[in-house]
Amino acid sequence: MAISKAQKAAYNDDIKLLQSDSNELEKKIRELVSKKKSKPNIEPYYNLEIVTYLAKTIDLYIQMSDLSVTMLGIKNSKSLDAAKSNFSKILQYMKETVGDEVDRESLKDNEDYLARVNRLNPRNILDLAYSLNDTFNKLRDRMGEDSKWKWLFVEFQSKIATIIRNLINFSDLLKYRDPREEFFRDRREHLGLAKESLDEAAKQYRTKYELSSKSREDLKKSIEILEALRKVHIIMGESGDADKLRTTIDAARQTLEASDKKKESDEISKKKAGVK
């Protein structure tokens, strides 16, 4: 159905406040980016503040699209693309702050990064992890299953899951196991969120491999994430869960090896056919 001029005018009028708010936030972000360059000793704190403002802009851009759906019956692709762009920036700032490598050799490495933001307590860190996860899920939901960015969000899921894990101080998690300890429940809740996020990220890459790409790199990514999750189980002394995951990983590796062998066999067959 065609959108009338009156509908378009009404929509433009209704989003003015949202646009004004987003412009103010974007201005604030630019100011913080400029400030952090002159204060490298507290750069990680500036990064986290910038991330907070970026998340707020994403919420506003999503509201703009929601309003478009309600008033015009279509998504606002421009605002959703802006939200996606700012989410990519969030990932970059979090990478600078705690890293985003999934195959971190030792989870004790987390402590070196977290020492740079030690003014934050475990509850603050958990709130940040939830905020990142909620922002990601909301944006992915609004983009929809038919989005051209559908498979890009598999990569986003992996990065968010890794960042959530990298926000955990595993030494403290193991040290403060008494339920009477302050922040005991926050640390355990954070651990649960990290496990769920890693598990979901591995499933998403496996789904991408099976339904779309058939790329060994996607299956390999899934295996790497499962290995990262297994390492968490091991460090927490959860041998049963670690063993179950090992079975899943072995099966995925067999699938990868079978795929490689088939590809090699197909290439040999093509060469032979070419010789004839």
Side-chain angles (χ1 to χ4, degrees):
M1 185 175 70
I3 300 170
S4 69
K5 290 183 178 180
Q7 286 176 306
K8 186 67 175 176
Y11 170 71
N12 289 335
D13 189 57
D14 280 5
I15 68 166
K16 282 181 180 177
L17 181 58
L18 295 174
Q19 289 176 328
S20 176
D21 288 345
S22 66
N23 289 338
E24 283 299 312
L25 287 171
E26 295 284 7
K27 179 182 177 182
K28 180 66 175 178
I29 290 167
R30 289 192 295 271
E31 290 172 354
L32 289 169
V33 170
S34 179
K35 283 181 180 180
K36 84 163 191 164
K37 292 177 181 177
S38 63
K39 298 181 180 179
N41 57 318
I42 57 171
E43 182 178 300
Y45 290 104
Y46 274 119
N47 284 348
L48 296 182
E49 189 173 2
I50 291 168
V51 163
T52 299
Y53 284 117
L54 284 169
K56 289 179 180 179
T57 65
I58 290 170
D59 190 56
L60 289 171
Y61 291 135
I62 288 174
Q63 287 181 53
M64 290 180 199
S65 183
D66 287 349
L67 194 62
S68 178
V69 171
T70 300
M71 297 184 71
L72 307 178
I74 58 172
K75 296 177 184 176
N76 184 328
S77 298
K78 185 177 179 180
S79 68
L80 288 179
D81 283 345
K84 179 187 67 66
S85 176
N86 276 8
F87 191 78
S88 293
K89 293 176 184 177
I90 283 179
L91 293 175
Q92 181 58 39
Y93 283 114
M94 289 308 302
K95 177 182 179 180
E96 291 177 13
T97 308
V98 295
D100 69 350
E101 63 278 15
V102 69
D103 57 344
R104 183 162 284 179
E105 187 173 341
S106 171
L107 294 181
K108 281 185 70 66
D109 291 348
N110 290 16
E111 297 169 36
D112 294 332
Y113 285 95
L114 293 172
R116 301 163 68 213
V117 289
N118 59 10
R119 295 178 192 174
L120 303 183
N121 64 43
R123 180 70 226 182
N124 300 145
I125 295 291
L126 177 60
D127 288 343
L128 172 61
Y130 271 129
S131 176
L132 294 170
N133 196 55
D134 291 346
T135 298
F136 166 74
N137 286 326
K138 186 184 293 185
L139 180 57
R140 180 175 61 178
D141 176 67
R142 292 310 194 280
M143 283 291 190
E145 280 293 311
D146 59 344
S147 168
K148 64 180 179 180
W149 305 111
K150 176 180 178 178
W151 298 119
L152 173 65
F153 275 79
V154 175
E155 181 183 342
F156 283 178
Q157 170 84 60
S158 171
K159 290 183 180 297
I160 279 296
T162 303
I163 288 166
I164 289 173
R165 181 208 61 184
N166 290 355
L167 283 166
I168 296 177
N169 185 320
F170 283 93
S171 293
D172 283 353
L173 191 59
L174 292 168
K175 182 179 179 181
Y176 301 113
R177 285 189 160 189
D178 189 329
R180 293 168 295 183
E181 291 281 358
E182 187 179 17
F183 303 121
F184 169 81
R185 287 176 178 79
D186 299 307
R187 290 189 178 97
R188 299 300 300 188
E189 195 171 336
H190 190 167
L191 176 65
L193 177 62
K195 288 177 180 176
E196 290 173 7
S197 299
L198 288 168
D199 182 63
E200 180 61 24
K203 288 178 179 176
Q204 289 295 323
Y205 263 117
R206 182 64 185 252
T207 298
K208 182 185 176 186
Y209 167 77
E210 293 178 345
L211 298 184
S212 177
S213 69
K214 299 300 181 184
S215 167
R216 79 180 310 278
E217 289 306 310
D218 286 328
L219 185 53
K220 187 180 175 183
K221 283 278 190 181
S222 179
I223 293 170
E224 288 175 352
I225 296 168
L226 290 175
E227 288 281 16
L229 177 55
R230 184 170 181 269
K231 189 176 289 187
V232 171
H233 286 308
I234 290 172
I235 200 171
M236 295 306 301
E238 298 162 345
S239 57
D241 290 324
D243 290 343
K244 289 178 183 177
L245 209 49
R246 168 54 66 190
T247 301
T248 302
I249 291 169
D250 288 343
R253 282 201 174 119
Q254 288 175 9
T255 300
L256 185 61
E257 289 171 5
S259 176
D260 287 344
K261 287 179 181 178
K262 184 178 185 305
K263 183 178 180 180
E264 184 179 346
S265 176
D266 289 345
E267 288 176 354
I268 291 173
S269 296
K270 286 179 181 179
K271 287 180 180 179
K272 288 182 177 179
V275 171
K276 291 179 181 180

